[in-house]
Amino acid sequence: MIRRRFPWLSYLLVVTGAVLTVVPFLDMVMTSFKGPGESGTLPYRFLPEAFDLSNYRAAVDQLDLPVLFRNSVVATTVINASVLLTSSLAGYALAKLRFPGRDFIFRLVLSTMMFPPFLFFVPHFLILVHWPLAGGNDLLGRGGAGLTVSIVALVMPFLVNGFGIFLMRQFMVSIPDEVLEAARIDGAGEFAVWWRIVVPQTRPVMVTLGLLTFVDAWNEYIWALLVSTANPDVMTLPVGIQMLQDYVDPTRTMPIVMAGLVLSILPVLMLFLLLQRHYVRGIMLSGLK
Amino acid sequence: MVNALTPETTARPPRPRSAGPARTAVGPRARARRHQAVVAYLFLAPVLLFFAVFLILPLGFALLLSMSHWAGFHLGDIQPAGLDNFTSLFAGGSTFLTPVLTNTLLFALGTVALALAGSVLVATCVDNLRFQGLWRTLYLLPIVTTVVAVGNVWKYMYEPGGLVNGALNAVGLDSVAFLQDPDTALPAVVVVQAWASVGTAILILTAGLKSIPESYYEAAALDGAGPVTVFWRITLPLLRPALLFVCVTQFITGLQSFALIIVMTRGGPGDATNVAALEMYRQAFSYGDWGTASAAAFVLFVVILLVTLAQLWIFRRKGEDA
C-alpha cells in the first residue's frame, strides 16, 4: 500500500534506522584497532590509522579468556537445556492436561515475570550459601560456603523461566486435541504423546526460546557479577570485560575494552546469524495471531 | 501470546464436560481424570520444585527483610523493624520518590515511547521493501549484544572525542557533555535503552502485521482509502494485541533495568540517572541496608503491577470504542 506510493520514503526510513543500528557496532570494531592516543582525541576520526591487532593481544593477555569462555559456555548450555526441557514439560501440562490447580499455577507462572529481579538476588545468594551438604555445609546448611564456590551458582536461579513456560504453553494450545486423543487411543502414555507428537510439532518455537535463552544467559551481568565477586573462578565474559576497564593503561583502555567486546560478541553473533531464520519464524508462529 | 495477557483468557474457566455418557461410565472416566492429574503434576514437578525454592522461599525472605533492619552476612543479626523501612522511603528528605522513582518512570516511559514509535515506523515500512530478511537481521543486532558492550560503546560514543560529538561538530554544532550534564544524562541513557530494545519490538510487530489479512487492504484500496487512512484505520487497530504485548513487556523491562545504567553512569551525575533498581542495589551492597533495599523492591513491584494493569485497562477500553 505505502510501497506503491512512497517507496522512497520507506527506503529512506528503513535505511536510516539500519545505519543508526549498525554504526555503533562499526565504531566498536574501528575503535578496537586504534592505537594509543588515537581514541578519545579531537577531532573525532572514524577509521583507525592502521589495522593492527595489538589491542586484541592486550585483551587476551589481561583476560583469562579460556576460563571466561568456558564459564560462559557451560552456564549458557546448562541453562538452555534446562529451560527448554522444563518449559516444554510444564507448557504441555498447562496447555493440554486437565487437573485441579491448573489456573492457579498458570497465573503463578505469569506473575514470575513481574517481580523485580533484584528482589531475588540476595535470597538466592543466601539459599546457595546455605545449601545443605554442599561446599562444606552440614545437613542444615551451616559451616561452609555452600554452592557459591561452584559453577552451579552461576546457573541455579535461571534453570526455570516463567516466560519460557508461557511461550511454550501458548504455542501448544493450538495443537489440535484430536491428534493427541488419537495417540492416546492407540495406547500412547502422556509421556509418549509429549515426546513423539508435541515436541516435534513445537520445534520452531523451541528454537526461538533456545535463542532467547542463549542470548539472555550469555549476556547476563548482574548475577554473574555478584557470584564472581564471591568466587572469581566462575567469572563470565561480560563480568571479565567490564573489569578490564580497571586494569589497563588509561590511554588504551577503550580500544582494549572494545577488542574484548568484539571477541565476546562474535560467538553469539555467529549463532544468531545461523539461526535467525528459525528465530523470526518461531516468534511469528508463537501465537501472535 | 498477546491474548493470554488479558484477564479474560487467562481466567478462562474449565470447559464443562459432556454430562450424558460420562454418568454411565463414572468409574473409568474418574480414574482416567485422576491419572491425568497425577501425570500433569509429574510434568510440572521440576518447575514447582524450582518455584518453591527459588520463588516462594525468596519472596518470603524478602518480605521479612523489608520489615527488618539487616546489614547483611549473618542471619542472626536480623532485627524487626515493622514498617519503618517503608515509611522512611516516603519520608521528607528521602530521595526515593524524587528523583529516583521519577527517574525510573521517565526512563521507562521514554524508552517505550521511542522504541514503540521507531518500531511501528520501521516494521510497517520494512513490510513493503525488498530484502526484508536483511533489514530485520540488522535491526536485531543489538538484541544479541551484552549490555556491557552496548553501555561501553555508547558511553564512548557520547564522549567529547566520540562519534556523536564528532557528528555534531561536523555539522557545525558545539559538543555536548551528554553523560556529565545532569540535564542530558537521563535522555542520553534513554536513547541507548531504546536503541537496544527496538529490535524485539520490530520482531513482534512484524509478526502482528503478517497476521493482518491481505483482503482488508484490498477492500480499503477499492474504497479509495489513502495510505494514511489505511494506517490509522486498519493497520494500527489490528496491530493492537502486538502493541499491547510490546508495551507491557518493555515497560516491565524498563522499570526493572539498571544494568545499562551501572555500566554507563553508575546513577550519576549526582542522582540524575539513578533509578529504583540501582538505588536498591546501592542500599544493599554499598550502604548495607538490606531492609530499605527490600522495601524499595516491593514498592517497585507494586508500581510495575499498577503500570501493567493500567495498560491492560487502557487497551481494553480502546478496544471497546473501536
Side-chain angles (χ1 to χ4, degrees):
Chain A
M1 182 51 59
I2 298 172
R3 165 182 42 185
R4 271 153 231 149
R5 306 222 186 152
F6 305 108
W8 54 271
L9 189 64
S10 292
Y11 269 108
L12 187 73
L13 257 162
V14 172
V15 172
T16 313
V19 168
L20 289 178
T21 310
V22 176
V23 157
F25 288 99
L26 292 180
D27 194 46
M28 171 178 79
V29 175
M30 294 305 161
T31 307
S32 73
F33 291 111
K34 287 181 180 168
E38 231 192 296
S39 73
T41 49
L42 293 165
Y44 169 80
R45 296 248 304 277
F46 183 67
L47 290 170
E49 272 163 25
F51 286 91
D52 83 306
L53 292 170
S54 61
N55 295 322
Y56 286 86
R57 238 169 277 133
V60 173
D61 285 346
Q62 288 292 333
L63 295 170
D64 198 352
L65 275 178
V67 171
L68 295 183
F69 258 100
R70 190 203 64 201
N71 289 339
S72 277
V73 168
V74 169
T76 306
T77 313
V78 172
I79 290 171
N80 224 331
S82 168
V83 165
L84 285 177
L85 182 70
T86 55
S87 300
S88 182
L89 284 171
Y92 177 62
L94 291 173
K96 287 299 173 191
L97 298 178
R98 298 236 185 99
F99 57 94
R102 184 172 76 167
D103 288 348
F104 172 77
I105 295 176
F106 184 53
R107 263 175 243 159
L108 184 77
V109 168
L110 288 182
S111 76
T112 58
M113 290 188 274
M114 260 184 266
F115 291 108
F118 178 84
L119 208 55
F120 298 105
F121 284 154
V122 174
H124 281 169
F125 198 77
L126 288 173
I127 288 168
L128 293 176
V129 171
H130 295 285
W131 199 270
L133 301 177
N137 278 350
D138 60 16
L139 192 63
L140 294 172
R142 289 171 307 194
L147 288 176
T148 52
V149 290
S150 123
I151 196 167
V152 176
L154 219 47
V155 301
M156 270 303 226
F158 304 105
L159 291 180
V160 171
N161 181 312
F163 175 78
I165 301 171
F166 178 43
L167 189 70
M168 295 309 291
R169 185 251 177 209
Q170 291 310 101
F171 191 72
M172 288 170 178
V173 164
S174 62
I175 297 175
D177 281 321
E178 293 74 31
V179 180
L180 308 179
E181 208 51 56
R184 284 180 196 133
I185 288 168
D186 286 348
E190 289 300 336
F191 187 79
V193 172
W194 170 76
W195 178 245
R196 297 222 195 96
I197 298 172
V198 176
V199 170
Q201 286 225 24
T202 49
R203 202 165 292 150
V205 76
M206 296 266 262
V207 175
T208 305
L209 180 59
L211 259 174
L212 284 174
T213 312
F214 180 92
V215 168
D216 278 354
W218 187 265
N219 295 336
E220 206 286 328
Y221 175 58
I222 303 290
W223 174 256
L225 178 67
L226 205 64
V227 173
S228 28
T229 311
N231 174 21
D233 291 344
V234 299
M235 195 179 286
T236 58
L237 274 169
V239 181
I241 288 168
Q242 186 63 19
M243 288 201 162
L244 200 56
Q245 314 221 0
D246 308 331
Y247 290 116
V248 289
D249 167 13
T251 61
R252 291 175 64 203
T253 305
M254 267 307 173
I256 294 174
V257 170
M258 296 297 164
L261 289 176
V262 172
L263 290 178
S264 78
I265 290 174
L266 272 180
V268 207
L269 209 59
M270 303 292 232
L271 195 77
F272 173 75
L273 292 177
L274 275 175
L275 295 177
Q276 75 100 4
R277 194 175 293 272
H278 302 275
Y279 175 72
V280 173
R281 199 179 49 184
I283 288 272
M284 304 253 181
L285 290 173
S286 59
L288 270 162
K289 292 169 188 155
Chain B
M1 183 194 269
V2 170
N3 291 334
L5 275 174
T6 58
E8 310 98 295
T9 30
T10 51
R12 193 194 314 145
R15 254 171 283 155
R17 305 180 139 265
S18 49
R23 284 281 151 74
T24 54
V26 154
R29 268 279 181 126
R31 211 176 307 141
R33 214 178 305 162
R34 208 171 321 133
H35 176 69
Q36 203 171 63
V38 172
V39 173
Y41 276 98
L42 279 177
F43 273 68
L44 284 164
V47 168
L48 293 178
L49 207 66
F50 179 88
F51 280 168
V53 179
F54 287 97
L55 181 75
I56 309 292
L57 191 63
L59 272 182
F61 185 72
L63 197 62
L64 174 81
L65 274 191
S66 73
M67 290 184 273
S68 315
H69 292 301
W70 190 49
F73 305 114
H74 298 294
L75 289 173
D77 298 344
I78 298 179
Q79 301 291 328
L83 293 175
D84 284 2
N85 295 321
F86 288 94
T87 47
S88 72
L89 278 180
F90 296 103
S94 158
T95 56
F96 186 69
L97 269 182
T98 47
V100 175
L101 212 51
T102 333
N103 282 347
T104 313
L105 287 168
L106 286 175
F107 179 77
L109 195 69
T111 308
V112 174
L114 274 181
L116 208 60
S119 58
V120 169
L121 272 176
V122 171
T124 44
C125 288
V126 165
D127 220 29
N128 298 323
L129 299 186
R130 299 168 59 159
F131 311 119
Q132 296 189 9
L134 170 75
W135 301 122
R136 275 193 210 108
T137 308
L138 288 181
Y139 280 104
L140 287 176
L141 285 180
I143 307 181
V144 297
T145 315
T146 151
V147 65
V148 172
V150 171
N152 278 306
V153 170
W154 277 87
K155 185 171 146 190
Y156 176 63
M157 291 196 343
Y158 278 138
E159 275 175 16
L163 190 145
V164 179
N165 277 315
L168 285 180
N169 296 340
V171 295
L173 294 169
D174 286 338
S175 295
V176 180
F178 288 100
L179 297 178
Q180 289 74 38
D181 182 338
D183 293 330
T184 53
L186 191 62
V189 191
V190 164
V191 167
V192 181
Q193 177 84 5
W195 177 85
S197 52
V198 88
T200 324
I202 289 176
L203 196 63
I204 291 161
L205 293 183
T206 308
L209 282 173
K210 294 273 181 212
S211 66
I212 300 177
E214 195 62 36
S215 57
Y216 286 26
Y217 290 111
E218 287 159 11
L222 281 178
D223 288 346
V228 178
T229 320
V230 170
F231 179 77
W232 285 109
R233 306 299 289 269
I234 296 181
T235 311
L236 218 49
L238 288 172
L239 213 52
R240 245 189 35 239
L243 284 172
L244 172 69
F245 184 80
V246 171
C247 273
V248 168
T249 50
Q250 300 221 344
F251 250 110
I252 292 179
T253 317
L255 291 169
Q256 291 176 346
S257 71
F258 69 114
L260 183 73
I261 291 177
I262 281 203
V263 173
M264 287 186 74
T265 64
R266 291 174 195 263
D271 267 335
T273 55
N274 195 4
V275 290
L278 178 63
E279 177 65 15
M280 294 163 208
Y281 192 81
R282 279 184 175 171
Q283 287 287 350
F285 291 102
S286 307
Y287 313 137
D289 188 348
W290 291 94
T292 305
S294 301
F298 277 102
V299 174
L300 183 61
F301 169 67
V302 172
V303 170
I304 292 172
L305 194 67
L306 290 179
V307 170
T308 305
L309 291 177
Q311 290 174 80
L312 292 176
W313 185 72
I314 291 170
F315 269 82
R316 206 141 38 107
R317 253 176 54 118
K318 280 268 171 61
E320 281 161 10
D321 292 347

